[in-house]
Amino acid sequence: MNEAFLSGVNVCFFDLDGCIYHGNKLAYGAKPLLKELEKRHIQYSFITNNSRQTGQEIAKKLKNIGLDVDTSKIITATDFIGKYLKEKFGIVSIKTVGSSSLNDAIAFEGHRIVPLEDKDKADVIVVGRDVDFTYEKLQRISEEVSRGSLVIGTNSDHFHPAEGQKKIPETGAIIAAIQAVTGTTVQCIGKPEPYLFLYGLQMFGAKSDSGVMIGDNLETDILGGRRVGMRTVWVENNNDDALSFQHSDSDYKVKSIYELYEIVAMPHVFEKFLKRN
Amino acid sequence: MNEAFLSGVNVCFFDLDGCIYHGNKLAYGAKPLLKELEKRHIQYSFITNNSRQTGQEIAKKLKNIGLDVDTSKIITATDFIGKYLKEKFGIVSIKTVGSSSLNDAIAFEGHRIVPLEDKDKADVIVVGRDVDFTYEKLQRISEEVSRGSLVIGTNSDHFHPAEGQKKIPETGAIIAAIQAVTGTTVQCIGKPEPYLFLYGLQMFGAKSDSGVMIGDNLETDILGGRRVGMRTVWVENNNDDALSFQHSDSDYKVKSIYELYEIVAMPHVFEKFLKRN
């Protein structure tokens, strides 16, 4: 990611959790890295499968941990799903399982939110990470599907990692239960699907080969970035999974965001990096 | 199932819901069929993936709808899972998600029931159809698995049918979510796994080729019966699925329990049946 690597690059897209921040801590090197990009007139943005918070809420969080970023730079599954449905179907009636922010973001796009327990069926059921999900909701969704409602998910991740090797259930686990009961396949809009990436590229008027996707998740960030034709940088984070994955899955591999900063800012580190990769 | 068909048959195993009864109604022909078997000195028993009720509770239900059956004749996933775990591991500590009857049946076998929210980990987590299942329970199970607990399910059915083409979420849907989060494969003891069938055969001291499994579910009753080497009779019930399945999946096919009664009791119906099958 020195001159040579960055030649032809207009925009860098970063994953957030596990890449730019870890839990409630900004990744070491994130701030100088973004400064360095600004200095080189390379634009950047953030793409996250987060389905519980809007870009506005995440901007607030980033500010609290020391990073001042414009809301418009943060592309979330939460904010995007209403736009996607509007483009595909126009204004529709929607029942949701997920956070109140997900509801707000969908309503903001003009859709009509209907309570899940409402006896009238909705056109679409949007599924996000619902920490209040219950068997009863699962049964209601099963009934809605048999009445013809379309189910669509924010993201297909089965879990996200938390401190102490914990696995926190993600939207994809809820979707697994819904798919089992209904026998349908639920489409998702988050990474690795192309929609958030394409939206990001369009936002900057950039072609895919002028974009770079940087993230820690090979199955979402790297796979999805590659699929739309971007260059990809995998942030390894000393992850246990590192050994089990092929480096060939991503174009470049860095140990951390700090290493990426060094490579971008310091020519001699870039030389060494080129030899390793 | 006339003399010729029943030759060498010692015991008939019947599925319950969708076979012997439908919702709260005894299947037409069920009573005379069982009488006819008694007359011919053929034993019978019931095998169900029900994980919310014990044999005792189901016997009560059957009595209420007009069928007097001894509790010992009813083999349920609810009652069996504690026996299975005792035989495999001895007495263990167990957390459960499921009905209070499931808890009672497991405790009856001598295992130690630990509340799911208890901070000490249990040896085993038993998953049944838990109508009070929540995201929070899913997260707790994810944590238990990362601490080394074994998850085992009563039955792998994704749903069971209810009136009006409704699909009621079953244990398998909850298991799908657990498998997604934990990345593990959860073993189940219900049909089509061999355990309930083998327990039934052992109960009567019967060999598998002297047993017949009769049920409406090709994926559990018929597949499981065939796997342990029993003869199988599929009760079609004018099911919509009937067209999409191969008759070859079962040895014999009947339209209803009443038709099975006719075949067993009336030689001229059996003649016609032989020509068709």
Side-chain angles (χ1 to χ4, degrees):
Chain A
M1 270 251 221
N2 206 289
E3 295 303 338
F5 180 82
L6 289 173
S7 77
V9 168
N10 282 323
V11 54
C12 289
F13 296 99
F14 291 92
D15 175 47
L16 282 170
D17 199 5
C19 178
I20 290 296
Y21 63 79
H22 301 269
N24 282 312
K25 237 179 108 183
L26 209 57
Y28 186 61
K31 258 174 113 160
L33 170 60
L34 298 178
K35 277 252 156 59
E36 195 65 32
L37 292 178
E38 283 168 14
K39 214 172 81 184
R40 290 162 190 264
H41 305 291
I42 292 172
Q43 303 178 93
Y44 59 84
S45 169
F46 306 91
I47 298 182
T48 173
N49 274 356
N50 190 317
S51 68
R52 294 193 57 79
Q53 295 178 297
T54 61
Q56 204 170 15
E57 290 168 301
I58 292 172
K60 228 179 256 173
K61 177 193 171 128
L62 288 174
K63 193 167 184 172
N64 284 340
I65 60 175
L67 191 67
D68 217 336
V69 163
D70 194 83
T71 298
S72 68
K73 276 192 162 38
I74 305 172
I75 300 167
T76 70
T78 314
D79 292 307
F80 183 74
I81 197 152
K83 296 184 205 299
Y84 173 83
L85 290 171
K86 192 160 68 178
E87 183 154 329
K88 191 154 179 183
F89 303 115
I91 299 297
V92 287
S93 62
I94 300 181
K95 296 185 178 186
T96 67
V97 294
S99 69
S100 59
S101 296
L102 179 65
N103 267 4
D104 294 346
I106 291 169
F108 180 79
E109 296 297 329
H111 300 293
R112 190 165 63 86
I113 298 284
V114 184
L116 183 60
E117 57 276 16
D118 201 291
K119 69 177 178 25
D120 293 330
K121 95 169 186 47
D123 301 315
V124 178
I125 298 168
V126 169
V127 179
R129 183 163 73 92
D130 181 5
V131 299
D132 300 313
F133 195 71
T134 60
Y135 177 93
E136 196 190 327
K137 289 185 181 184
L138 181 59
Q139 183 158 340
R140 281 189 197 279
I141 292 172
S142 164
E143 284 172 29
E144 293 280 310
V145 169
S146 69
R147 293 160 75 197
S149 295
L150 175 77
V151 181
I152 188 161
T154 51
N155 60 310
S156 58
D157 310 60
H158 288 159
F159 65 89
H160 67 249
E163 280 171 76
Q165 307 245 321
K166 272 187 195 169
K167 291 175 168 182
I168 307 295
E170 258 292 351
T171 313
I174 295 172
I175 289 173
I178 294 170
Q179 292 186 146
V181 176
T182 61
T184 58
T185 300
V186 174
Q187 188 209 338
C188 293
I189 57 102
K191 302 175 279 185
E193 300 305 322
Y195 310 107
L196 300 181
F197 301 105
L198 297 176
Y199 180 74
L201 288 166
Q202 191 188 22
M203 204 164 85
F204 290 100
K207 287 190 179 161
S208 62
D209 62 2
S210 73
V212 183
M213 179 67 212
I214 299 133
D216 67 316
N217 190 322
L218 285 168
E219 289 173 22
T220 55
D221 304 320
I222 304 309
L223 176 63
R226 282 178 77 99
R227 276 191 189 159
V228 298
M230 290 195 202
R231 274 172 261 188
T232 54
V233 180
W234 180 38
V235 184
E236 194 186 337
N237 281 339
N238 302 312
N239 194 316
D240 280 350
D241 293 344
L243 292 171
S244 64
F245 283 107
Q246 301 290 327
H247 167 220
S248 62
D249 287 343
S250 64
D251 295 313
Y252 295 89
K253 181 174 81 168
V254 295
K255 286 197 182 66
S256 62
I257 281 289
Y258 183 76
E259 191 188 33
L260 186 58
Y261 158 66
E262 284 187 317
I263 291 162
V264 170
M266 304 171 194
H268 68 281
V269 178
F270 180 61
E271 293 298 325
K272 271 202 263 177
F273 173 74
L274 275 185
K275 278 182 200 148
R276 200 186 72 204
N277 263 258
Chain B
M1 269 248 216
N2 205 290
E3 293 305 337
F5 181 83
L6 290 174
S7 78
V9 169
N10 281 324
V11 53
C12 289
F13 295 100
F14 291 91
D15 175 46
L16 282 170
D17 199 3
C19 179
I20 289 296
Y21 63 79
H22 301 271
N24 282 313
K25 236 179 109 184
L26 209 56
Y28 186 61
K31 258 174 110 161
L33 171 59
L34 298 178
K35 277 253 158 60
E36 195 64 32
L37 292 177
E38 283 168 13
K39 215 171 79 184
R40 289 161 192 266
H41 305 292
I42 292 172
Q43 303 180 92
Y44 60 85
S45 168
F46 307 91
I47 298 182
T48 174
N49 274 356
N50 190 318
S51 68
R52 294 192 58 77
Q53 294 177 299
T54 60
Q56 203 170 15
E57 289 168 303
I58 292 172
K60 229 180 255 173
K61 178 196 168 123
L62 288 174
K63 192 166 185 175
N64 283 338
I65 60 176
L67 191 68
D68 217 337
V69 163
D70 194 82
T71 298
S72 67
K73 277 192 160 39
I74 305 173
I75 301 168
T76 70
T78 314
D79 292 306
F80 184 74
I81 197 154
K83 296 184 205 300
Y84 173 83
L85 291 170
K86 192 161 68 179
E87 182 152 333
K88 191 155 180 181
F89 302 115
I91 298 296
V92 288
S93 63
I94 300 182
K95 296 186 178 184
T96 66
V97 293
S99 68
S100 61
S101 296
L102 179 65
N103 268 6
D104 295 345
I106 291 169
F108 179 79
E109 296 298 327
H111 300 295
R112 190 164 62 87
I113 297 287
V114 184
L116 184 59
E117 57 277 16
D118 200 291
K119 68 176 178 29
D120 292 331
K121 98 167 183 45
D123 301 315
V124 177
I125 299 168
V126 169
V127 179
R129 183 163 74 92
D130 181 6
V131 298
D132 299 313
F133 196 70
T134 60
Y135 177 94
E136 197 190 326
K137 289 186 179 181
L138 181 59
Q139 183 158 341
R140 282 190 197 279
I141 292 172
S142 164
E143 285 171 30
E144 293 280 310
V145 168
S146 70
R147 293 159 78 198
S149 295
L150 174 77
V151 181
I152 186 160
T154 51
N155 60 310
S156 59
D157 310 61
H158 289 159
F159 65 89
H160 66 251
E163 280 172 75
Q165 307 246 318
K166 274 188 193 169
K167 291 175 168 183
I168 307 296
E170 258 292 351
T171 313
I174 295 171
I175 289 173
I178 294 169
Q179 291 187 147
V181 176
T182 61
T184 58
T185 300
V186 174
Q187 189 210 336
C188 293
I189 57 101
K191 301 174 282 186
E193 300 305 323
Y195 311 106
L196 299 182
F197 301 105
L198 296 177
Y199 180 73
L201 287 166
Q202 194 188 20
M203 206 164 84
F204 291 99
K207 287 191 179 161
S208 62
D209 62 2
S210 72
V212 182
M213 179 66 211
I214 298 136
D216 68 315
N217 191 323
L218 285 168
E219 289 173 22
T220 54
D221 304 319
I222 305 307
L223 177 63
R226 282 178 76 98
R227 276 191 188 157
V228 297
M230 289 196 205
R231 272 171 262 186
T232 55
V233 180
W234 180 38
V235 183
E236 194 186 337
N237 280 340
N238 302 312
N239 196 316
D240 280 351
D241 292 346
L243 292 171
S244 65
F245 283 107
Q246 302 289 328
H247 168 220
S248 61
D249 287 342
S250 63
D251 295 313
Y252 294 90
K253 180 174 83 168
V254 294
K255 287 198 183 67
S256 62
I257 281 291
Y258 183 74
E259 192 188 33
L260 187 57
Y261 159 65
E262 283 188 316
I263 290 162
V264 170
M266 304 171 195
H268 68 281
V269 178
F270 181 59
E271 292 299 324
K272 271 201 263 178
F273 173 74
L274 274 187
K275 279 182 198 146
R276 201 185 71 206
N277 262 258

